[in-house]
Coordinates of all heavy atoms in Angstrom, one line a residue:
M1 N 0.8 -1.2 0.0 CA 0.0 0.0 0.0 C 0.9 1.2 0.0 O 1.9 1.3 0.8 CB -0.9 0.0 1.2 CG -2.1 0.9 1.1 SD -3.2 0.9 2.6 CE -3.9 -0.8 2.5
I2 N 0.6 2.2 -0.9 CA 1.3 3.5 -0.9 C 0.4 4.5 -0.4 O -0.8 4.7 -0.8 CB 1.7 3.8 -2.4 CG1 2.3 2.7 -3.1 CG2 2.6 5.1 -2.4 CD1 3.6 2.2 -2.6
L3 N 0.9 5.3 0.6 CA 0.1 6.3 1.3 C 0.9 7.6 1.4 O 2.1 7.7 1.3 CB -0.4 5.9 2.6 CG -1.2 4.6 2.8 CD1 -0.2 3.4 3.1 CD2 -2.2 4.7 3.8
S4 N 0.1 8.7 1.6 CA 0.7 10.0 1.9 C -0.2 10.9 2.7 O -1.4 10.5 3.0 CB 1.1 10.7 0.5 OG -0.1 10.9 -0.2
K5 N 0.2 12.1 3.0 CA -0.6 13.1 3.8 C -1.0 14.2 2.8 O -0.4 14.4 1.8 CB 0.2 13.6 4.9 CG 0.5 12.6 6.0 CD 1.4 13.3 7.1 CE 1.7 12.4 8.2 NZ 2.6 13.0 9.3
N6 N -2.0 14.9 3.2 CA -2.4 16.2 2.5 C -2.6 16.0 1.0 O -2.3 16.9 0.2 CB -1.3 17.3 2.7 CG -1.2 17.7 4.2 OD1 -2.1 17.4 5.0 ND2 -0.1 18.3 4.6
R7 N -3.2 14.8 0.7 CA -3.4 14.5 -0.7 C -4.8 15.1 -1.1 O -5.8 15.0 -0.4 CB -3.4 13.0 -0.9 CG -3.6 12.5 -2.3 CD -3.3 11.0 -2.4 NE -3.7 10.5 -3.7 CZ -4.8 9.8 -3.9 NH1 -5.6 9.5 -2.8 NH2 -5.1 9.3 -5.1
Q8 N -4.9 15.7 -2.3 CA -6.1 16.4 -2.7 C -7.0 15.4 -3.4 O -8.2 15.4 -3.3 CB -5.8 17.5 -3.7 CG -5.0 18.7 -3.0 CD -5.7 19.2 -1.7 OE1 -6.8 19.5 -1.7 NE2 -4.9 19.2 -0.6
S9 N -6.4 14.5 -4.3 CA -7.2 13.5 -5.0 C -7.8 12.5 -4.1 O -7.2 12.1 -3.0 CB -6.4 12.8 -6.1 OG -5.9 13.7 -7.0
D10 N -9.0 12.0 -4.4 CA -9.7 11.0 -3.5 C -9.8 9.6 -4.2 O -10.4 8.7 -3.7 CB -11.0 11.4 -3.1 CG -12.0 11.7 -4.2 OD1 -11.6 11.4 -5.4 OD2 -13.1 12.1 -4.0
D11 N -9.1 9.5 -5.4 CA -9.2 8.2 -6.1 C -8.1 7.2 -5.5 O -7.2 7.6 -4.8 CB -9.0 8.3 -7.6 CG -7.7 9.1 -7.9 OD1 -6.9 9.2 -7.1 OD2 -7.6 9.5 -9.1
I12 N -8.3 5.9 -5.7 CA -7.3 4.9 -5.3 C -7.0 4.0 -6.5 O -8.0 3.5 -7.2 CB -7.8 4.1 -4.2 CG1 -8.1 4.9 -2.9 CG2 -6.9 2.9 -3.8 CD1 -8.7 4.2 -1.7
L13 N -5.8 3.8 -6.8 CA -5.4 2.9 -7.9 C -5.2 1.5 -7.4 O -4.5 1.2 -6.4 CB -4.0 3.4 -8.5 CG -3.5 2.5 -9.6 CD1 -4.4 2.6 -10.9 CD2 -2.1 2.8 -10.0
F14 N -5.9 0.6 -8.0 CA -5.8 -0.9 -7.6 C -5.0 -1.6 -8.8 O -5.4 -1.4 -9.9 CB -7.2 -1.5 -7.5 CG -8.0 -1.0 -6.3 CD1 -8.7 0.1 -6.4 CD2 -7.9 -1.7 -5.1 CE1 -9.4 0.6 -5.3 CE2 -8.6 -1.3 -4.0 CZ -9.4 -0.1 -4.1
V15 N -4.0 -2.3 -8.4 CA -3.2 -3.1 -9.3 C -3.3 -4.6 -8.9 O -2.9 -4.9 -7.8 CB -1.8 -2.6 -9.4 CG1 -1.0 -3.5 -10.4 CG2 -1.7 -1.1 -9.8
D16 N -3.8 -5.4 -9.8 CA -3.8 -6.9 -9.5 C -2.6 -7.5 -10.2 O -2.7 -7.9 -11.4 CB -5.1 -7.5 -10.0 CG -5.2 -9.0 -9.7 OD1 -4.3 -9.5 -9.0 OD2 -6.2 -9.6 -10.1
A17 N -1.5 -7.7 -9.4 CA -0.3 -8.3 -9.9 C -0.2 -9.8 -9.4 O 0.9 -10.3 -9.4 CB 0.9 -7.5 -9.5
S18 N -1.4 -10.4 -9.1 CA -1.4 -11.7 -8.5 C -0.9 -12.8 -9.5 O -0.5 -13.9 -9.1 CB -2.7 -12.1 -7.9 OG -3.7 -12.1 -9.0
Q19 N -1.0 -12.5 -10.8 CA -0.5 -13.5 -11.8 C 0.8 -13.1 -12.3 O 1.3 -13.7 -13.3 CB -1.6 -13.5 -12.9 CG -3.0 -13.9 -12.4 CD -3.0 -15.2 -11.6 OE1 -2.4 -16.2 -12.1 NE2 -3.6 -15.2 -10.5
S20 N 1.5 -12.1 -11.7 CA 2.8 -11.6 -12.2 C 3.9 -12.3 -11.5 O 4.3 -11.8 -10.4 CB 2.8 -10.1 -12.1 OG 1.8 -9.5 -12.8
Y21 N 4.4 -13.4 -11.9 CA 5.5 -14.1 -11.2 C 6.0 -15.2 -12.1 O 5.4 -15.6 -13.1 CB 5.1 -14.6 -9.9 CG 4.0 -15.7 -10.0 CD1 4.4 -17.0 -10.0 CD2 2.6 -15.4 -10.0 CE1 3.4 -18.1 -10.1 CE2 1.7 -16.4 -10.0 CZ 2.1 -17.7 -10.1 OH 1.1 -18.7 -10.1
R22 N 7.2 -15.6 -11.7 CA 7.8 -16.8 -12.3 C 7.9 -17.9 -11.2 O 8.3 -17.6 -10.1 CB 9.2 -16.5 -12.8 CG 10.0 -17.8 -13.2 CD 11.3 -17.4 -13.9 NE 12.1 -16.6 -13.0 CZ 12.9 -17.0 -12.0 NH1 12.9 -18.3 -11.7 NH2 13.6 -16.2 -11.2
K23 N 7.5 -19.1 -11.5 CA 7.4 -20.1 -10.4 C 8.8 -20.7 -10.2 O 9.5 -21.1 -11.1 CB 6.5 -21.2 -10.8 CG 6.1 -22.2 -9.7 CD 4.9 -23.0 -10.1 CE 4.5 -23.9 -8.9 NZ 4.1 -23.1 -7.7
G24 N 9.3 -20.6 -8.9 CA 10.6 -21.1 -8.6 C 10.5 -22.5 -7.9 O 9.4 -23.0 -7.8
K25 N 11.6 -23.0 -7.4 CA 11.6 -24.3 -6.8 C 10.8 -24.3 -5.5 O 10.0 -25.2 -5.2 CB 13.0 -24.8 -6.5 CG 13.8 -25.1 -7.8 CD 15.2 -25.6 -7.4 CE 16.0 -25.9 -8.7 NZ 17.4 -26.4 -8.4
K26 N 11.0 -23.3 -4.7 CA 10.3 -23.2 -3.4 C 9.4 -22.0 -3.3 O 8.4 -22.1 -2.6 CB 11.4 -23.1 -2.3 CG 12.3 -24.4 -2.1 CD 13.2 -24.2 -1.0 CE 14.1 -25.4 -0.8 NZ 15.1 -25.3 0.3
Q27 N 9.8 -20.9 -4.0 CA 9.0 -19.7 -3.9 C 8.6 -19.2 -5.3 O 9.3 -19.5 -6.2 CB 9.8 -18.6 -3.2 CG 10.5 -19.0 -1.9 CD 9.5 -19.4 -0.8 OE1 9.8 -20.4 -0.1 NE2 8.5 -18.7 -0.6
N28 N 7.6 -18.4 -5.3 CA 7.3 -17.6 -6.5 C 8.2 -16.4 -6.6 O 8.5 -15.8 -5.5 CB 5.8 -17.2 -6.6 CG 4.9 -18.5 -6.8 OD1 5.3 -19.4 -7.5 ND2 3.8 -18.4 -6.1
V29 N 8.6 -15.9 -7.8 CA 9.5 -14.9 -7.9 C 9.0 -13.8 -8.9 O 8.5 -14.1 -9.9 CB 10.9 -15.4 -8.4 CG1 11.9 -14.2 -8.6 CG2 11.5 -16.4 -7.5
L30 N 9.1 -12.5 -8.5 CA 8.8 -11.4 -9.4 C 9.9 -11.3 -10.3 O 11.1 -11.2 -9.9 CB 8.5 -10.1 -8.6 CG 7.3 -10.0 -7.7 CD1 7.4 -8.7 -6.9 CD2 6.0 -10.2 -8.5
T31 N 9.7 -11.2 -11.6 CA 10.7 -11.0 -12.6 C 10.9 -9.5 -12.8 O 10.1 -8.7 -12.3 CB 10.4 -11.6 -13.9 OG1 9.3 -10.9 -14.5 CG2 10.1 -13.1 -13.8
E32 N 12.0 -9.1 -13.4 CA 12.2 -7.7 -13.7 C 11.1 -7.1 -14.5 O 10.7 -5.9 -14.3 CB 13.6 -7.5 -14.3 CG 13.9 -6.1 -14.8 CD 13.8 -5.0 -13.7 OE1 14.1 -5.4 -12.5 OE2 13.5 -3.9 -14.0
S33 N 10.6 -7.8 -15.5 CA 9.6 -7.3 -16.3 C 8.3 -7.2 -15.5 O 7.5 -6.2 -15.8 CB 9.3 -8.3 -17.5 OG 8.9 -9.6 -17.1
D34 N 8.0 -8.0 -14.5 CA 6.9 -7.9 -13.6 C 7.0 -6.6 -12.9 O 6.1 -5.8 -12.7 CB 6.8 -9.0 -12.6 CG 6.5 -10.4 -13.3 OD1 5.8 -10.4 -14.3 OD2 7.0 -11.4 -12.8
V35 N 8.2 -6.3 -12.3 CA 8.5 -5.1 -11.5 C 8.3 -3.9 -12.3 O 7.6 -2.9 -11.9 CB 9.9 -5.2 -10.9 CG1 10.3 -3.9 -10.2 CG2 10.0 -6.3 -9.9
K36 N 8.8 -3.9 -13.6 CA 8.7 -2.7 -14.4 C 7.3 -2.4 -14.8 O 6.8 -1.3 -14.8 CB 9.6 -2.9 -15.7 CG 9.6 -1.7 -16.6 CD 10.5 -1.9 -17.8 CE 10.7 -0.6 -18.5 NZ 9.4 0.1 -18.9
R37 N 6.5 -3.5 -15.1 CA 5.1 -3.3 -15.5 C 4.3 -2.7 -14.3 O 3.5 -1.7 -14.5 CB 4.5 -4.6 -15.9 CG 3.1 -4.4 -16.5 CD 2.3 -5.7 -16.7 NE 1.1 -5.4 -17.4 CZ 0.1 -6.3 -17.5 NH1 0.2 -7.5 -16.9 NH2 -1.1 -6.0 -18.0
I38 N 4.5 -3.2 -13.1 CA 3.8 -2.6 -12.0 C 4.2 -1.2 -11.7 O 3.4 -0.3 -11.5 CB 4.1 -3.5 -10.7 CG1 3.6 -4.9 -10.9 CG2 3.5 -2.8 -9.5 CD1 4.1 -5.9 -9.8
F39 N 5.6 -0.9 -11.8 CA 6.0 0.4 -11.6 C 5.4 1.4 -12.6 O 4.9 2.5 -12.2 CB 7.6 0.5 -11.7 CG 8.2 1.9 -11.6 CD1 8.3 2.5 -10.4 CD2 8.6 2.5 -12.8 CE1 8.8 3.8 -10.4 CE2 9.1 3.7 -12.8 CZ 9.2 4.4 -11.6
D40 N 5.5 1.1 -13.9 CA 5.0 1.9 -14.9 C 3.5 2.2 -14.7 O 3.0 3.3 -14.9 CB 5.2 1.3 -16.3 CG 6.7 1.3 -16.7 OD1 7.4 2.0 -16.1 OD2 7.0 0.5 -17.6
T41 N 2.7 1.2 -14.3 CA 1.3 1.3 -14.1 C 1.0 2.2 -12.9 O 0.1 3.1 -13.0 CB 0.7 -0.1 -13.8 OG1 0.9 -0.9 -14.9 CG2 -0.8 0.0 -13.6
V42 N 1.8 2.1 -11.8 CA 1.6 3.0 -10.6 C 1.9 4.4 -11.0 O 1.2 5.3 -10.5 CB 2.5 2.5 -9.5 CG1 2.5 3.5 -8.3 CG2 2.0 1.1 -9.0
I43 N 3.0 4.6 -11.7 CA 3.3 6.0 -12.0 C 2.3 6.7 -13.0 O 1.9 7.8 -12.8 CB 4.8 6.1 -12.6 CG1 5.8 5.5 -11.7 CG2 5.1 7.5 -13.1 CD1 5.8 6.2 -10.3
A44 N 1.8 5.9 -14.0 CA 0.9 6.4 -14.9 C -0.5 6.6 -14.4 O -1.2 7.5 -14.8 CB 0.8 5.5 -16.1
R45 N -0.9 5.8 -13.4 CA -2.2 5.9 -12.7 C -3.3 5.8 -13.8 O -4.2 6.7 -13.8 CB -2.3 7.1 -11.8 CG -1.4 7.1 -10.6 CD -1.8 8.2 -9.6 NE -3.0 8.0 -8.9 CZ -3.2 7.2 -7.9 NH1 -2.1 6.4 -7.4 NH2 -4.3 7.1 -7.3
E46 N -3.2 4.9 -14.7 CA -4.2 4.7 -15.8 C -4.8 3.3 -15.7 O -4.2 2.4 -15.2 CB -3.5 5.0 -17.1 CG -3.1 6.4 -17.3 CD -2.3 6.6 -18.6 OE1 -2.1 5.6 -19.3 OE2 -2.1 7.8 -19.0
E47 N -6.0 3.2 -16.4 CA -6.7 1.9 -16.5 C -5.9 1.0 -17.3 O -5.4 1.3 -18.4 CB -8.1 2.2 -17.1 CG -9.0 3.0 -16.3 CD -9.7 2.3 -15.1 OE1 -9.9 1.0 -15.3 OE2 -10.0 2.9 -14.1

């Protein structure tokens, strides 16, 4: 969750990255492309 104070906008961006991963031997792993896609989406704040 990303939060701040004194924010004027009242919208909230929801990102469902639950399918963004590579399956490892023991754990699931976020790839660099997963990280970049999430970051670009958060910064753009678009549908």
Side-chain angles (χ1 to χ4, degrees):
M1 200 180 291
I2 311 297
L3 302 96
S4 61
K5 295 177 178 175
N6 296 342
R7 182 169 170 258
Q8 298 305 308
S9 301
D10 61 5
D11 54 15
I12 297 177
L13 178 69
F14 291 85
V15 180
D16 181 4
S18 61
Q19 303 304 311
S20 301
Y21 65 91
R22 171 176 55 80
K23 194 165 184 62
K25 291 182 180 179
K26 295 181 180 179
Q27 312 297 137
N28 292 324
V29 179
L30 293 176
T31 67
E32 174 57 30
S33 61
D34 295 326
V35 171
K36 186 177 187 307
R37 186 187 186 197
I38 297 167
F39 172 78
D40 290 343
T41 303
V42 170
I43 299 306
R45 294 188 71 80
E46 293 177 350
E47 297 279 332

